[in-house]
Amino acid sequence: MSVIPFDEREGTIWFDGAMVPWRDAKIHVLSHGLHYGSSVFEGERAYGGVIFKSLAHAERLRRSAELLDFAVPYSAAEIVAAKEAVLKVSGLQDAYLRPVAWRGSEMMGVSAQGNTIHLAIAAWEWPSYFDAATKMKGIRLDVADYRRPDPRTAPCASKAAGLYMICTISKHRAENKGYADALMLDFEDNVAECTGANVFFIRDGAIHTPTADRFLNGITRQTVMDLASRRGIAVTERRIRPEEMADFSECFITGSAAEVTPVAEIGPYRFVPGAITQTLMDDYLAEVQPQARAA
């Protein structure tokens, strides 16, 4: 994968309704979104030239903005069309897409009700979040020090940039100790999610996953739960205490970037990727293929 910094790459970015050369897609240093975290984004993938669940991502982007008290100045349909346009001009078939909306630079203070809302969309080549060899044997997770915040203190249903500050810190700390990522607990010390992915556990042929009312209910999460339902695999959403991880046989995480990735270790707990994890990995990869969606 390329190590060229993102601001030095070649290509085209959709920026406020126009196609802009990649290196010219810039904002001012005094933009509100940079200083106060008034920014929302999406992460999504295209497979075979078709963006997976593009409308659902566009609708979530708009909802995320509304939870931060601003409106994206484009309809969901317009956002979908813009993503398709930038994917086409990129010439990529399999790609990662990043729509991002933020408050601009008219006002520089906590209150910024008059600021222009901007939207940009970029697409680039980004292989699976974890390399194939690591993915098949299961990744190793640390347990993060930071907790996901109480929903009374932050808009946890929004994919808001500011909510990822503690995720970056937690992932860095995990990587510095040799782990691939970190599992985060919620404000009551229940299992919550990873820094950018939801988590699932398996015991006695059934799936258990934390209730997504204290963190983002991922679109990939919802897709995998639907796939499990089609297979007749029971899925229970509930509060999960950390010590319960000792009793689960399998574990995997889900996300647009991570797709479905097996987990072998979380702190002192060990798991062995098995049949259910493998089945859902295969089912997800089949689901995202354009021909499968057209059938």
Side-chain angles (χ1 to χ4, degrees):
M1 185 165 54
S2 174
V3 294
I4 301 172
F6 275 90
D7 60 347
E8 295 180 8
R9 300 187 181 196
E10 301 296 334
T12 304
I13 290 176
W14 189 97
F15 194 118
D16 286 345
M19 291 294 184
V20 176
W22 189 286
R23 295 181 184 220
D24 294 338
K26 299 176 181 179
I27 63 172
H28 196 273
V29 69
L30 295 180
S31 292
H32 195 273
L34 175 63
H35 291 253
Y36 295 96
S38 53
S39 171
V40 297
F41 69 98
E42 284 294 315
E44 44 199 298
R45 283 189 183 273
Y47 299 86
V50 180
I51 303 166
F52 185 61
K53 295 199 171 178
S54 183
L55 179 59
H57 280 283
E59 291 172 339
R60 187 173 68 179
L61 182 74
R62 288 176 52 81
R63 288 196 303 272
S64 291
E66 289 167 2
L67 289 169
L68 267 61
D69 198 32
F70 69 83
V72 176
Y74 298 92
S75 68
E78 289 172 324
I79 296 170
V80 167
K83 288 187 288 184
E84 291 173 351
V86 79
L87 182 63
K88 182 177 180 180
V89 77
S90 75
L92 297 172
Q93 290 291 299
D94 299 317
Y96 183 83
L97 289 97
R98 173 54 59 86
V100 57
W102 68 96
R103 285 191 176 97
S105 56
E106 287 82 1
M107 301 172 68
M108 185 47 58
V110 173
S111 177
Q113 297 189 50
N115 284 31
T116 299
I117 306 303
H118 300 275
L119 175 66
I121 303 168
W124 63 89
E125 186 177 7
W126 192 5
S128 181
Y129 208 41
F130 301 102
D131 68 85
T134 299
K135 191 170 183 176
M136 293 311 297
K137 68 181 182 181
I139 62 171
R140 299 173 61 244
L141 306 179
D142 193 17
V143 178
D145 296 323
Y146 282 107
R147 280 16 179 194
R148 298 312 294 159
D150 188 324
R152 294 169 295 182
T153 69
C156 66
S158 173
K159 195 170 177 66
L163 293 176
Y164 285 80
M165 175 184 68
I166 58 174
C167 297
T168 297
I169 296 170
S170 299
K171 190 171 177 69
H172 284 180
R173 290 179 179 178
E175 290 176 338
N176 288 339
K177 291 191 285 184
Y179 294 93
D181 200 354
L183 178 75
M184 304 184 78
L185 307 180
D186 68 18
F187 66 100
E188 292 183 323
D189 287 343
N190 299 299
V191 173
E193 61 174 349
C194 292
T195 62
N198 295 122
V199 64
F200 292 80
F201 301 96
I202 298 169
R203 182 174 62 202
D204 298 328
I207 295 174
H208 301 256
T209 190
T211 304
D213 59 355
R214 298 175 174 184
F215 51 85
L216 196 70
N217 183 7
I219 290 173
T220 307
R221 175 184 186 271
Q222 297 170 51
T223 301
V224 169
M225 290 172 66
D226 178 59
L227 292 171
S229 177
R230 294 185 217 170
R231 287 279 186 179
I233 303 170
V235 180
T236 299
E237 298 179 81
R238 63 180 179 85
R239 304 284 182 238
I240 298 174
R241 300 298 298 174
E243 58 269 21
E244 290 186 69
M245 290 192 284
D247 300 323
F248 294 120
S249 57
E250 298 179 53
C251 176
F252 61 87
I253 62 173
T254 64
S256 292
E259 299 173 314
V260 179
T261 296
V263 174
E265 176 183 332
I266 302 178
Y269 305 105
R270 303 293 183 268
F271 312 94
V272 178
I276 292 179
T277 299
Q278 183 67 62
T279 294
L280 292 173
M281 288 176 66
D282 295 342
D283 286 355
Y284 183 77
L285 290 177
E287 183 78 5
V288 300
Q289 298 305 314
Q291 60 269 26
R293 284 174 272 163

